[in-house]
């Protein structure tokens, strides 16, 4: 069964003073039986130097086990169509990272254009903000594929996220850093089709995060959706 890690960070982090190397990601992948890995920059790095998006793309061109996502800059430029990105990462835009959303962004006159362009490009966006911010954003689109990381853990209570988005077929969730009980609860409530396995390296390890999914009391076909089929369907990968 193929396994794809849907959320890892690659490259240097200015704020953390460390770097996640290609060798480290591949070491963890080999140790865990992961075949392909979604990579994108650390937020602090992308804000300091947006050339990192280009480096992520080049790294993925060198090693086809990598699936590059584009870090969406603060001025809300959509994923560039002409480049081979497979998705985007939206991270606490102009707010306090991992902590509080900047609600003025929702009033930005450029936001509707960003959403329109993103709908047309039709690639998923890993979208991390507080619950209320996420709800307003999701109400602005019916078709944009929004992946909420950590089952919503960093933006509020996962159960509130579940309640808010369970009927939104365009909303997906990744499992990184979430508890196994919570993952199971999500699978039972919305089915396995909208849940993606992810590690969020370096904040989690592939092995630990993968074990949570592998040991879920569900069937192999359901696990396969979570481990690779869902993300492949979303990004149009064979
Ligand atoms: Zn992350």
């Amino acid at each position: 069964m193929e396994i794809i890690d849907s959320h890892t960070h690659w490259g240097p982090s200015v704020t953390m003073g460390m770097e996640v190397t290609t060798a480290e990601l591949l070491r963890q992948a080999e140790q865990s039986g992961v075949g392909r890995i979604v990579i994108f920059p650390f937020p602090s790095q992308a804000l300091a130097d947006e050339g990192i998006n280009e480096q992520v793309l080049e790294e993925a061109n060198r090693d086809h086990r990598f699936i590059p996502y584009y870090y969406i800059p603060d001025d809300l430029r959509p994923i560039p169509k002409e480049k081979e990105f497979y998705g985007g990462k939206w991270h606490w835009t102009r707010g306090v990272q991992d902590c509080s959303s900047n609600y003025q962004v929702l009033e930005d006159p450029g936001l509707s254009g960003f959403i329109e362009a993103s709908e047309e490009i039709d690639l998923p966006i890993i979208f991390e903000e507080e619950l209320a911010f996420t709800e307003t954003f999701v109400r602005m689109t019916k078709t944009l594929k929004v992946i909420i990381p950590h089952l919503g853990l960093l933006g509020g209570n996962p159960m509130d996220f579940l309640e808010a988005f369970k009927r939104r077929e365009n909303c997906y969730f990744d499992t990184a850093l979430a508890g196994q009980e919570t993952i199971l609860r999500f699978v039972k409530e919305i089915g396995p089709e909208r849940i993606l396995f992810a590690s969020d390296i370096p904040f989690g390890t592939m092995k630990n995060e993968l074990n949570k999914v592998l040991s879920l009391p569900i069937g192999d076909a359901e696990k396969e959706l979570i481990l690779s089929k869902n993300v492949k369907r979303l990004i149009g990968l064979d």
Side-chain angles (χ1 to χ4, degrees):
M1 177 185 309
E2 187 183 11
I3 305 174
I4 298 175
D5 187 334
S6 297
H7 173 168
T8 74
H9 297 270
W10 176 89
S13 162
V14 222
T15 46
M16 292 165 71
M18 52 95 73
E19 179 173 359
V20 175
T21 62
T22 289
E24 171 61 14
L25 287 176
L26 294 179
R27 185 189 67 77
Q28 291 206 31
E30 263 153 46
Q31 187 189 47
S32 319
V34 168
R36 285 188 272 190
I37 310 163
V38 169
I39 56 170
F40 43 84
F42 281 98
S44 59
Q45 193 68 31
L47 292 177
D49 168 21
E50 64 171 68
I52 190 75
N53 269 323
E54 210 57 47
Q55 289 176 45
V56 162
L57 201 57
E58 284 164 16
E59 200 59 20
N61 278 333
R62 269 193 288 275
D63 192 316
H64 293 287
R65 285 170 286 186
F66 290 135
I67 301 167
Y69 278 25
Y70 176 76
Y71 188 91
I72 294 158
D74 271 357
D75 59 6
L76 305 182
R77 261 166 289 150
I79 303 167
K81 246 194 285 198
E82 68 284 2
K83 300 200 170 157
E84 279 174 59
F85 289 104
Y86 285 86
K89 173 70 162 108
W90 172 302
H91 192 86
W92 302 92
T93 296
R94 291 178 235 156
V96 182
Q97 291 191 6
D98 307 314
C99 178
S100 63
S101 293
N102 179 349
Y103 287 83
Q104 283 173 349
V105 172
L106 294 169
E107 313 291 322
D108 188 317
L111 184 60
S112 58
F114 168 83
I115 292 177
E116 235 169 77
S118 301
E119 286 169 341
E120 198 212 307
I121 294 162
D122 200 27
L123 291 172
I125 293 179
I126 301 179
F127 189 92
E128 190 165 328
E129 293 282 358
E130 287 172 10
L131 175 61
F133 188 110
T134 311
E135 282 184 289
T136 305
F137 182 88
V138 165
R139 267 198 298 269
M140 296 173 78
T141 175
K142 280 205 160 47
T143 58
L144 182 60
K145 292 150 185 160
V146 174
I147 303 171
I148 296 165
H150 319 295
L151 307 182
L153 198 62
L154 297 184
N157 184 327
M159 289 308 147
D160 295 336
F161 273 86
L162 178 61
E163 201 47 44
F165 302 113
K166 63 183 178 191
R167 280 174 210 90
R168 295 266 181 185
E169 295 293 327
N170 59 320
C171 286
Y172 297 74
F173 295 91
D174 88 32
T175 61
L177 313 181
Q180 196 192 32
E181 291 287 309
T182 315
I183 299 172
L184 184 58
R185 177 80 186 270
F186 273 63
V187 176
K188 297 264 181 247
E189 285 249 2
I190 63 171
E193 293 83 3
R194 286 156 56 200
I195 298 171
L196 315 178
F197 156 66
S199 71
D200 197 17
I201 284 174
F203 306 103
T205 67
M206 248 180 228
K207 202 168 184 166
N208 272 344
E209 298 302 316
L210 182 59
N211 279 339
K212 290 182 205 167
V213 176
L214 288 176
S215 59
L216 284 172
I218 58 175
D220 282 352
E222 292 171 299
K223 282 181 196 167
E224 195 174 8
L225 286 167
I226 299 170
L227 293 173
S228 60
K229 282 193 166 170
N230 292 338
V231 69
K232 281 160 71 173
R233 191 177 70 243
L234 277 179
I235 64 182
L237 211 66
D238 298 326

